């Protein structure tokens, strides 16, 4: 064992340039980090990420974020092989389980048999039923939902079924039960959906509705063993922060924390860093994606990156010599791009430990499973046949 604790931190949706297969997804030219940097015109301040190579891994540095001359960290990019570009695909692939068969998507809304069953189970009418931005459809139909108690059902370019309801009209427990039932309808074989997402919101009217942190993802059960299971079975302690628990349906996780926001998530990271354990802490920070990427808000996205960078400085200062920090993303979501969906991009890979005597390039790693293979290798656990460990490259 080289490191006692590994912290794997996923900056949800922080891509770093169009992947080679981006044209297949209609995402050619997407570049989340690059375009956010351009939006800030040199004023994007990410000193801690810069210090450990976030611009070194790119062909051209992020505007305002210089490449480090002596990063004392390792950096590269990861390229996805999964058939989708959703959070579930990215996280599962990181943990040794690429999604090779495309999941069901619904560009024309959900079929009548699913909607009829939802209405019968819930005793509520379904409205919406189309691909749409969540904030837009809630602003449009939220007042009607408050008056009638209907369910706002919608989807996106990803394999998701989302159900929105005002928290004062449909209690959270009821909304979650409806989502659990929806989950049971799309586990195959006819329809196989990656995630059912409960989208509660609050506010008095269409101009003031806001989605709350009581979102909950009901993810397809992992179709096979993941690296989290392998670690847990080997007696390695596994901590999940943010929506990790939802993405893996609780499998392979010993200790879990729900995030209210990115900063709440970083509070949980600070807390876990104070614990004395041997194992892996897997973290997802979703605000980049949910609050700014889908809403095509580059200003908010950049501010969230700068807020994260400040908290990253605290994490780095508190790391022990036998700690390893691995920062990456699960997909892109370029806030300057057309539409409102995720974007198929390379994702950054930045790896740091205070014990490093040098740094350097890890190149382009594919599949994402190299990430999990490295974690397993560190703890002497076998079983990830998809990825290749880069542990030996870390010196």
């Amino acid at each position: 064992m080289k490191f006692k604790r590994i912290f794997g931190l996923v900056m949800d949706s922080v891509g770093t340039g169009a992947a080679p297969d981006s044209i297949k997804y209609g995402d050619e030219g997407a570049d989340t980090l690059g375009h956010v940097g351009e939006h800030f015109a040199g004023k994007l301040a990410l000193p801690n990420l810069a210090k450990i190579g976030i611009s070194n891994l790119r062909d051209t540095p992020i505007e305002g974020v210089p490449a480090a001359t002596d990063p004392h960290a390792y950096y590269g990019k990861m390229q996805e092989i999964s058939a989708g570009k959703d959070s579930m695909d990215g996280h599962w692939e990181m943990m040794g389980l690429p999604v090779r068969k495309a999941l069901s998507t619904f560009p024309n809304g959900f079929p009548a048999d699913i909607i009829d069953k939802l209405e019968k189970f819930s005793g509520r009418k379904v409205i919406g039923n189309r691909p749409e931005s969540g904030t837009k459809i809630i602003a449009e139909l939220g007042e009607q939902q408050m008056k009638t108690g209907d369910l706002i059902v919608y989807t996106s370019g990803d394999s998701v079924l989302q159900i929105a309801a005002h928290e004062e009209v449909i209690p959270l427990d009821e909304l979650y039960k409806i989502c659990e039932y929806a989950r049971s309808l799309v586990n195959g074989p006819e329809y196989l959906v990656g995630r059912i997402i409960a989208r509660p919101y609050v506010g008095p009217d269409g101009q003031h509705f806001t989605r709350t942190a009581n979102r909950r993802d009901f993810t397809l059960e992992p179709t096979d063993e993941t690296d989290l299971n392998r670690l847990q079975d080997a007696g390695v302690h596994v901590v999940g922060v943010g929506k990790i628990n939802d993405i893996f349906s609780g499998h392979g996780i010993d200790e879990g924390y729900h995030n209210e926001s990115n900063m709440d998530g970083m509070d949980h990271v600070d807390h876990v860093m104070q614990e004395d354990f041997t194992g892996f802490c897997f973290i997802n920070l979703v605000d980049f994606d949910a609050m700014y990427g889908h809403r095509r808000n580059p200003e908010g996205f950049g501010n969230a990156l700068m807020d994260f960078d400040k908290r990253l400085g605290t994490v780095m200062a508190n790391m022990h010599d036998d700690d390893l920090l691995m920062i990456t993303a699960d997909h892109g979501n370029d806030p300057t791009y057309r539409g409102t969906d995720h974007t198929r991009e390379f994702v950054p890979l930045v790896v740091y430990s205070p014990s490093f005597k040098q740094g350097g390039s890890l190149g382009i790693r594919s599949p994402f499973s190299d990430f999990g293979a490295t974690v397993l290798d560190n703890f002497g656990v076998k079983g990830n046949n998809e990825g290749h460990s880069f542990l030996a490259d870390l010196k």
Side-chain angles (χ1 to χ4, degrees):
M1 184 174 64
K2 195 168 185 177
F3 300 98
K4 181 179 179 181
R5 305 186 301 182
I6 296 180
F7 296 87
L9 196 154
V10 180
M11 303 182 294
D12 199 305
S13 89
V14 183
T16 188
D21 61 355
S22 60
I23 192 168
K24 174 183 172 183
Y25 295 84
D27 294 334
E28 58 274 23
D31 184 359
T32 300
L33 277 171
H35 290 152
V36 170
E38 289 175 9
H39 174 82
F40 275 78
K43 295 181 180 178
L44 187 67
L46 304 175
N48 291 303
L49 282 167
K51 186 164 57 176
I52 55 177
I54 195 69
S55 271
N56 295 61
L57 60 85
R58 296 173 51 86
D59 294 332
T60 57
I62 304 161
E63 191 170 340
V65 184
T69 54
D70 186 19
H72 278 244
Y74 292 85
Y75 47 85
K77 295 186 282 192
M78 296 201 300
Q79 181 181 340
E80 188 170 13
I81 65 168
S82 288
K85 52 178 180 175
D86 187 34
S87 290
M88 189 195 83
D89 307 294
H91 285 79
W92 281 19
E93 184 171 324
M94 275 185 239
M95 292 296 107
L97 186 62
V99 180
R100 288 191 163 85
K101 182 181 178 182
L103 302 178
S104 303
T105 55
F106 301 88
N108 300 308
F110 298 98
D113 58 333
I114 291 178
I115 298 300
D116 291 346
K117 289 173 182 176
L118 269 179
E119 290 184 333
K120 184 176 180 181
F121 175 82
S122 65
R124 298 177 181 276
K125 182 183 175 184
V126 166
I127 56 176
N129 191 25
R130 66 176 189 264
E132 190 59 89
S133 156
T135 51
K136 183 177 178 182
I137 203 167
I138 289 170
E140 176 190 335
L141 299 178
E143 292 182 20
Q144 177 182 344
Q145 192 275 323
M146 289 179 71
K147 292 175 184 175
T148 62
D150 296 341
L151 300 172
I152 302 173
V153 174
Y154 62 105
T155 186
S156 72
D158 295 315
S159 183
V160 294
L161 187 158
Q162 306 189 71
I163 305 178
H166 198 287
E167 289 191 1
E168 295 177 10
V169 176
I170 300 181
L172 289 172
D173 286 348
E174 181 182 351
L175 178 61
Y176 294 159
K177 285 177 184 176
I178 294 169
C179 289
E180 286 175 348
Y181 175 72
R183 173 74 273 166
S184 74
L185 300 177
V186 289
N187 291 328
E190 186 174 5
Y191 310 115
L192 194 62
V193 173
R195 289 186 294 160
I196 310 298
I197 306 178
R199 289 287 197 178
Y201 63 94
V202 294
D205 55 53
Q207 292 184 327
H208 299 94
F209 290 140
T210 57
R211 295 187 293 188
T212 75
N214 292 317
R215 161 194 171 146
R216 187 171 168 194
D217 293 38
F218 299 79
T219 306
L220 185 69
E221 294 267 338
T223 54
D224 205 342
E225 191 176 49
T226 73
D227 293 341
L228 299 182
N229 301 119
R230 298 178 181 109
L231 290 166
Q232 190 180 58
D233 291 346
V236 178
H237 190 65
V238 179
V239 182
V241 175
K243 65 180 185 181
I244 298 298
N245 192 72
D246 289 346
I247 289 171
F248 292 92
S249 300
H251 295 294
I253 297 168
D254 297 306
E255 182 182 352
Y257 298 88
H258 171 76
N259 290 348
E260 299 289 326
S261 64
N262 277 3
M263 293 303 98
D264 184 51
M266 293 306 290
D267 287 344
H268 292 139
V269 174
D270 290 343
H271 169 77
V272 174
M273 290 193 78
Q274 300 306 312
E275 296 183 347
D276 182 16
F277 68 97
T278 298
F280 177 53
C281 179
F282 202 15
I283 305 136
N284 176 281
L285 300 180
V286 76
D287 284 1
F288 305 112
D289 183 67
M291 300 293 292
Y292 309 113
H294 286 300
R295 300 184 190 187
R296 296 302 189 250
N297 179 354
E299 186 77 16
F301 202 116
N303 286 328
L305 280 170
M306 289 189 282
D307 289 341
F308 165 70
D309 189 85
K310 291 173 185 174
R311 297 296 299 269
L312 176 61
T314 301
V315 168
M316 292 169 63
N318 289 335
M319 289 178 68
H320 305 155
D321 283 352
D322 56 358
D323 285 340
L324 182 69
L325 175 65
M326 301 167 63
I327 300 175
T328 189
D330 48 350
H331 50 71
N333 200 346
D334 187 339
T336 71
Y337 208 67
R338 60 179 175 265
T340 59
D341 289 335
H342 296 151
T343 44
R344 183 76 161 192
E345 298 183 47
F346 288 110
V347 297
L349 177 64
V350 182
V351 183
Y352 170 76
S353 174
S355 62
F356 287 165
K357 302 295 189 290
Q358 62 187 66
S361 175
L362 294 170
I364 295 175
R365 317 293 308 197
S366 188
F368 284 7
S369 302
D370 286 12
F371 187 97
T374 302
V375 178
L376 292 190
D377 189 13
N378 180 75
F379 294 109
V381 179
K382 301 195 181 301
N384 180 332
N385 297 316
E386 297 288 348
H388 298 87
S389 170
F390 50 80
L391 185 70
D393 296 327
L394 309 178
K395 299 172 183 175

mmCIF file of all heavy atoms in Angstrom, residues 23 39 48 79 127-128 152 166 176 198 220 309:
data_model
loop_
_atom_site.group_PDB
_atom_site.id
_atom_site.type_symbol
_atom_site.label_atom_id
_atom_site.label_comp_id
_atom_site.label_asym_id
_atom_site.label_seq_id
_atom_site.Cartn_x
_atom_site.Cartn_y
_atom_site.Cartn_z
ATOM 1 N N ILE A 23 -18.633 14.356 -32.136
ATOM 2 C CA ILE A 23 -19.536 14.601 -33.265
ATOM 3 C C ILE A 23 -20.715 13.630 -33.252
ATOM 4 O O ILE A 23 -21.836 13.969 -33.649
ATOM 5 C CB ILE A 23 -18.764 14.517 -34.606
ATOM 6 C CG1 ILE A 23 -19.621 15.057 -35.742
ATOM 7 C CG2 ILE A 23 -18.272 13.113 -34.882
ATOM 8 C CD1 ILE A 23 -18.854 15.288 -37.026
ATOM 9 N N HIS A 39 -14.881 33.288 -21.166
ATOM 10 C CA HIS A 39 -15.952 34.166 -20.674
ATOM 11 C C HIS A 39 -15.416 35.152 -19.635
ATOM 12 O O HIS A 39 -15.828 36.314 -19.603
ATOM 13 C CB HIS A 39 -17.077 33.319 -20.067
ATOM 14 C CG HIS A 39 -18.151 34.129 -19.402
ATOM 15 N ND1 HIS A 39 -19.186 34.720 -20.099
ATOM 16 C CD2 HIS A 39 -18.330 34.485 -18.091
ATOM 17 C CE1 HIS A 39 -19.956 35.390 -19.255
ATOM 18 N NE2 HIS A 39 -19.462 35.259 -18.036
ATOM 19 N N ASN A 48 -4.902 27.295 -6.977
ATOM 20 C CA ASN A 48 -4.565 25.961 -6.468
ATOM 21 C C ASN A 48 -4.654 24.908 -7.563
ATOM 22 O O ASN A 48 -3.777 24.042 -7.685
ATOM 23 C CB ASN A 48 -5.470 25.619 -5.285
ATOM 24 C CG ASN A 48 -5.162 26.486 -4.075
ATOM 25 O OD1 ASN A 48 -4.031 26.517 -3.599
ATOM 26 N ND2 ASN A 48 -6.145 27.219 -3.594
ATOM 27 N N GLN A 79 -10.598 9.770 -21.338
ATOM 28 C CA GLN A 79 -11.555 9.674 -22.446
ATOM 29 C C GLN A 79 -12.517 8.532 -22.163
ATOM 30 O O GLN A 79 -12.105 7.397 -21.904
ATOM 31 C CB GLN A 79 -10.814 9.443 -23.764
ATOM 32 C CG GLN A 79 -11.740 9.360 -24.977
ATOM 33 C CD GLN A 79 -10.980 9.114 -26.265
ATOM 34 O OE1 GLN A 79 -9.772 9.356 -26.346
ATOM 35 N NE2 GLN A 79 -11.677 8.630 -27.281
ATOM 36 N N ILE A 127 -48.223 16.112 -16.318
ATOM 37 C CA ILE A 127 -48.140 17.204 -17.286
ATOM 38 C C ILE A 127 -46.687 17.347 -17.746
ATOM 39 O O ILE A 127 -45.766 16.870 -17.092
ATOM 40 C CB ILE A 127 -48.660 18.542 -16.714
ATOM 41 C CG1 ILE A 127 -47.920 18.915 -15.424
ATOM 42 C CG2 ILE A 127 -50.164 18.456 -16.465
ATOM 43 C CD1 ILE A 127 -48.327 20.279 -14.851
ATOM 44 N N GLY A 128 -46.493 18.014 -18.871
ATOM 45 C CA GLY A 128 -45.146 18.184 -19.425
ATOM 46 C C GLY A 128 -44.840 17.067 -20.406
ATOM 47 O O GLY A 128 -45.218 17.106 -21.558
ATOM 48 N N ILE A 152 -45.083 17.113 -12.723
ATOM 49 C CA ILE A 152 -44.356 17.585 -13.900
ATOM 50 C C ILE A 152 -43.309 16.530 -14.249
ATOM 51 O O ILE A 152 -42.367 16.300 -13.480
ATOM 52 C CB ILE A 152 -43.674 18.944 -13.645
ATOM 53 C CG1 ILE A 152 -44.701 20.004 -13.233
ATOM 54 C CG2 ILE A 152 -42.912 19.392 -14.887
ATOM 55 C CD1 ILE A 152 -44.081 21.329 -12.799
ATOM 56 N N HIS A 166 -43.874 20.836 -6.282
ATOM 57 C CA HIS A 166 -43.676 21.827 -5.223
ATOM 58 C C HIS A 166 -43.716 21.122 -3.870
ATOM 59 O O HIS A 166 -44.598 20.297 -3.602
ATOM 60 C CB HIS A 166 -44.767 22.884 -5.303
ATOM 61 C CG HIS A 166 -44.426 24.147 -4.563
ATOM 62 N ND1 HIS A 166 -44.423 24.218 -3.184
ATOM 63 C CD2 HIS A 166 -44.078 25.388 -5.011
ATOM 64 C CE1 HIS A 166 -44.094 25.454 -2.812
ATOM 65 N NE2 HIS A 166 -43.868 26.181 -3.910
ATOM 66 N N TYR A 176 -40.836 10.907 -3.353
ATOM 67 C CA TYR A 176 -39.835 9.842 -3.412
ATOM 68 C C TYR A 176 -40.484 8.482 -3.693
ATOM 69 O O TYR A 176 -39.935 7.661 -4.448
ATOM 70 C CB TYR A 176 -39.046 9.775 -2.106
ATOM 71 C CG TYR A 176 -38.174 10.988 -1.808
ATOM 72 C CD1 TYR A 176 -37.766 11.260 -0.502
ATOM 73 C CD2 TYR A 176 -37.772 11.865 -2.808
ATOM 74 C CE1 TYR A 176 -36.970 12.366 -0.205
ATOM 75 C CE2 TYR A 176 -36.985 12.967 -2.528
ATOM 76 C CZ TYR A 176 -36.591 13.216 -1.223
ATOM 77 O OH TYR A 176 -35.805 14.315 -0.940
ATOM 78 N N ALA A 198 -35.940 12.859 -8.573
ATOM 79 C CA ALA A 198 -36.952 13.668 -7.886
ATOM 80 C C ALA A 198 -36.456 15.113 -7.865
ATOM 81 O O ALA A 198 -35.351 15.381 -7.394
ATOM 82 C CB ALA A 198 -37.165 13.161 -6.466
ATOM 83 N N LEU A 220 -30.323 3.253 -11.753
ATOM 84 C CA LEU A 220 -30.320 1.845 -12.126
ATOM 85 C C LEU A 220 -29.322 1.102 -11.244
ATOM 86 O O LEU A 220 -28.204 1.568 -11.034
ATOM 87 C CB LEU A 220 -29.912 1.735 -13.592
ATOM 88 C CG LEU A 220 -29.939 0.358 -14.246
ATOM 89 C CD1 LEU A 220 -31.365 -0.123 -14.405
ATOM 90 C CD2 LEU A 220 -29.239 0.424 -15.608
ATOM 91 N N ASP A 309 -11.881 26.275 -5.752
ATOM 92 C CA ASP A 309 -10.422 26.375 -5.709
ATOM 93 C C ASP A 309 -9.940 26.870 -4.342
ATOM 94 O O ASP A 309 -8.929 26.388 -3.820
ATOM 95 C CB ASP A 309 -9.928 27.309 -6.819
ATOM 96 C CG ASP A 309 -8.425 27.271 -6.969
ATOM 97 O OD1 ASP A 309 -7.916 26.381 -7.675
ATOM 98 O OD2 ASP A 309 -7.754 28.128 -6.362
#
